[in-house]
């Protein structure tokens, strides 16, 4: 009942494959939403909201997969993320 939660970072390969799969799904969604071809969407750089206590492999993911990080900074007086705190980070 009073459990605060837990976080995990996963393996490097799992993180990289997950982001790459997400990027491909995002491209299809973005193209359909904006009426673009698959070729036109390739030049658009997506972003991802991520906390600042991420696994080191995400630095590679941001650099090599052309994804812009938007950092959510931890607050020491909370054990949860409030969606209102993320509102300005989400496009």
């Amino acid at each position: 009942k009073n459990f605060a939660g837990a976080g995990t970072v996963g393996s490097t390969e799992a993180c990289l494959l997950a982001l790459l799969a997400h990027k491909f799904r995002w491209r299809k969604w973005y193209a359909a939403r904006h009426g673009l071809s698959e070729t036109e969407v390739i030049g658009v750089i997506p972003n991802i909201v991520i906390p600042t206590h991420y696994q080191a492999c995400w630095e590679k993911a941001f650099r090599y997969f052309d994804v812009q990080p938007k950092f959510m900074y931890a607050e020491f007086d909370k054990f949860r993320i409030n969606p209102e705190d993320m509102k300005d980070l989400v496009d």
Side-chain angles (χ1 to χ4, degrees), residues 5-80:
T8 182
V9 292
S11 70
T12 296
E13 293 83 7
C15 292
L16 294 175
L17 287 172
L19 182 63
L20 194 56
H22 179 65
K23 183 175 177 180
F24 289 136
R25 289 184 71 198
W26 173 86
R27 279 183 180 164
K28 288 182 182 180
W29 169 84
Y30 192 87
R33 182 178 179 131
H34 296 283
L36 301 173
S37 70
E38 289 184 26
T39 305
E40 292 171 317
V41 155
I42 289 175
V44 179
I45 297 177
N47 57 58
I48 187 169
V49 176
I50 190 167
T52 56
H53 55 281
Y54 56 85
Q55 194 211 46
C57 75
W58 288 98
E59 290 290 338
K60 290 179 185 176
F62 302 146
R63 184 177 307 116
Y64 300 126
F65 296 161
D66 294 322
V67 174
Q68 176 191 20
K70 289 189 170 187
F71 296 116
M72 175 120 191
Y73 295 92
E75 294 184 32
F76 295 106
D77 60 338
K78 296 183 200 177
F79 287 107
R80 63 182 170 80

